Amino acid sequence: MADLLSVDEALERILSGITTLPAERVPLLDSLGRTLAEDIYAEANHPPFPNSSMDGYAVRAEDVAAARTDAPVRLPVSLDIPAGSAPTQPLHPGEAGRIMTGAPLPQGANAVVPVEQTDGRWSAGDHHLLPTEVQVYRAVQPGDYIRQAGEDIRAGQVVLTAGSTLRAPEIGVLAALGCVYVPVTRQPRVAVLSTGDELVEVHEPLPPGKIRDSNGYALAALVATYGGLPFRIPIARDTLNDVRRRFHEALDIRPDLILSSAGVSVGAFDVVRAVLDELGQIDFWRINLRPGKPLAFGHLQGIPFFGLPGNPVSAMVTFDIFVRPVLYRLGNRADESATVMVITGEDIRSDGRRSYLRVKLTDENGQLVARLTGTQSSGVLTSMVQADGLLIVPEEVTFVPAGASLPVRLLRYVVR
Ligand code: AMP
Ligand code: MG
């Protein structure tokens, strides 16, 4: 098997030519699920001013130092500070100011006594009845029940880093900072092309000898799963002219990546190779990999191109191993592929190529156990539905006994 390219070597060669796409600015809510293209610095403190974390009374802590339930301290109420107001008067020594949660602390105050620890309780609707004085039942320390300016975010601080995925909490932070438009990495545009005389579109009836184009959809869905924008190109027939025409259509959408499936093995009707050689520089690799030995990679008019195998499972597995990292690199996303160590639940035979076998995982007494989903034929699409991951049997290994420890590459397909 010395003439076969290793999976790692192939991936390294592929990634060496891939660079991250430029940034674009999108409205705040549209940035959900996108990748932040730049570090975000806070221009101002958040919260912008010290404010109360409770409904209660702003005081000087030293004025209520002696307060106890059985010996309350009585203070005149000189200020009323609802949320959203900006107090213009300071709090003088020996006074209290009624203050609401989120309202700015007045000058002179250094603590808040929650209303529950005073006799100044109020119920909804009677806020306007400002008591003339309040009895405080408990002492507080300077700083109690105050959210300091910049406690959450300090001016000048890097709040979010480039490469982060923008989820609901990040969107909240950006909103708090007044970020109306967000710099995100442009999503990779990916042309997805299926080739083969046996293929019909999903909505068409199925004449004898034909099958539906499942790869076009599964691959487009994978592209979207990993942050790309898929563009399905109509099926190319196995003629030079039709394949050429469809590849030109693929180039016309100005893609960042082109994927085709089928027609890269040595079949009598495989005209894909001829067209690829016309349009660019393509290497036809034989990879030390099962499933997915034949794989074409190169550039068509400068755009990275993968010719994936036609068998549906091989197409999806090679996508996971080779295309997914490319989408991460193009889209500036952290590589979220994860591998866990498992115990094999049955004897497994392999053919000496590095094999990615579809397995189901079960937790048995805290130990993950992997069992094959059934036949490993690369045409059985439903095995990908069942699989929790791909058990990796290393090169040169032809037999793995039950109870062996091996890595599993998890298939989680989290759509965001
Ligand atoms: P090929 O690479 O052209 O030799 O195709 C290998 C196998 O994959 C054949 O059984 C094809 O019918 C099947 N195949 C190719 N393209 C697709 C597709 N788009 N959807 C489903 N099966 C496909
Ligand atoms: Mg074919």
Side-chain angles (χ1 to χ4, degrees):
M1 265 172 273
D3 58 328
L4 297 182
L5 186 63
S6 78
V7 170
D8 300 332
E9 172 70 18
L11 187 58
E12 201 172 297
R13 284 196 206 172
I14 290 165
L15 285 174
S16 69
I18 306 291
T19 47
T20 296
L21 295 173
E24 62 185 359
R25 287 160 70 78
V26 298
L28 179 53
L29 199 49
D30 292 352
S31 73
L32 181 65
R34 301 287 301 271
T35 307
L36 193 60
E38 299 165 12
D39 289 347
I40 299 289
Y41 290 84
E43 284 177 10
N45 279 331
H46 182 75
F49 47 84
N51 65 91
S52 179
S53 68
M54 296 290 277
D55 290 341
Y57 289 87
V59 296
R60 288 155 33 107
E62 43 282 36
D63 290 343
V64 297
R68 294 202 318 265
T69 315
D70 53 359
V73 169
R74 187 183 294 265
L75 300 174
V77 178
S78 61
L79 297 174
D80 193 17
I81 315 156
S85 67
T88 48
Q89 304 293 316
L91 188 81
H92 299 115
E95 293 175 355
R98 186 170 69 169
I99 191 164
M100 299 297 148
T101 305
L105 207 71
Q107 281 292 326
N110 63 7
V112 170
V113 182
V115 67
E116 294 80 359
Q117 291 161 19
T118 71
D119 70 342
R121 282 159 215 252
W122 56 79
S123 53
D126 65 0
H127 284 196
H128 55 285
L129 300 173
L130 188 68
T132 51
E133 56 174 38
V134 64
Q135 300 214 46
V136 173
Y137 297 122
R138 252 193 57 189
V140 284
Q141 300 298 313
D144 278 0
Y145 303 104
I146 294 174
R147 300 185 287 217
Q148 299 297 347
E151 173 182 294
D152 190 350
I153 300 166
R154 287 222 158 272
Q157 173 198 340
V158 175
V159 198
L160 300 173
T161 50
S164 319
T165 298
L166 298 169
R167 308 163 305 160
E170 286 80 9
I171 302 271
V173 166
L174 291 167
L177 295 175
C179 217
V180 181
Y181 288 93
V182 186
V184 291
T185 304
R186 192 159 69 62
Q187 289 180 277
R189 297 165 60 84
V190 184
V192 179
L193 200 142
S194 299
T195 67
D197 275 344
E198 74 276 37
L199 303 177
V200 298
E201 276 293 347
V202 283
H203 58 271
E204 288 174 344
L206 210 54
K210 307 283 186 184
I211 57 167
R212 294 201 178 86
D213 169 20
S214 62
N215 287 353
Y217 282 89
L219 293 172
L222 283 170
V223 166
T225 301
Y226 299 110
L229 292 173
F231 295 85
R232 286 192 61 246
I233 307 297
I235 298 163
R237 302 293 150 212
D238 286 327
T239 64
L240 266 180
N241 275 343
D242 208 46
V243 172
R244 190 181 288 124
R245 171 166 74 124
R246 297 307 183 195
F247 270 99
H248 278 289
E249 273 180 58
L251 287 163
D252 285 347
I253 67 147
R254 307 181 63 77
D256 302 300
L257 178 66
I258 302 173
L259 304 179
S260 76
S261 66
V264 291
S265 54
V266 234
F269 300 98
D270 291 343
V271 292
V272 177
R273 283 177 167 229
V275 174
L276 291 176
D277 284 334
E278 278 173 27
L279 290 175
Q281 301 76 45
I282 307 298
D283 291 323
F284 294 87
W285 287 337
R286 293 176 64 241
I287 300 183
N288 191 353
L289 170 65
R290 180 175 71 127
K293 183 165 75 177
L295 181 84
F297 178 77
H299 291 81
L300 298 181
Q301 298 188 354
I303 296 158
F305 163 81
F306 280 96
L308 302 175
N311 276 308
V313 173
S314 312
M316 292 186 81
V317 170
T318 47
F319 182 107
D320 198 70
I321 298 170
F322 299 114
V323 185
R324 186 174 162 189
V326 167
L327 287 177
Y328 286 145
R329 173 75 60 87
L330 285 171
N332 192 25
R333 291 160 72 110
D335 189 335
E336 285 158 353
S337 54
T339 300
V340 292
M341 291 307 289
V342 304
I343 297 293
T344 50
E346 62 194 296
D347 290 352
I348 291 170
R349 263 156 245 286
S350 188
D351 72 351
R353 280 183 283 169
R354 186 191 292 190
S355 298
Y356 288 76
L357 307 179
R358 285 141 274 158
V359 289
K360 277 203 80 61
L361 300 178
T362 46
D363 187 329
E364 295 177 17
N365 309 317
Q367 175 66 61
L368 279 179
V369 177
R371 290 192 181 78
L372 300 179
T373 53
T375 165
Q376 294 293 308
S377 155
S378 49
V380 181
L381 255 178
T382 50
S383 65
M384 288 301 281
V385 176
Q386 288 176 41
D388 296 314
L390 301 169
L391 179 79
I392 306 175
V393 181
E395 293 87 342
E396 316 296 341
V397 175
T398 51
F399 179 72
V400 180
S405 176
L406 279 181
V408 162
R409 184 175 166 94
L410 296 175
L411 294 170
R412 281 183 295 194
Y413 307 126
V414 181
V415 182
R416 9 169 245 235

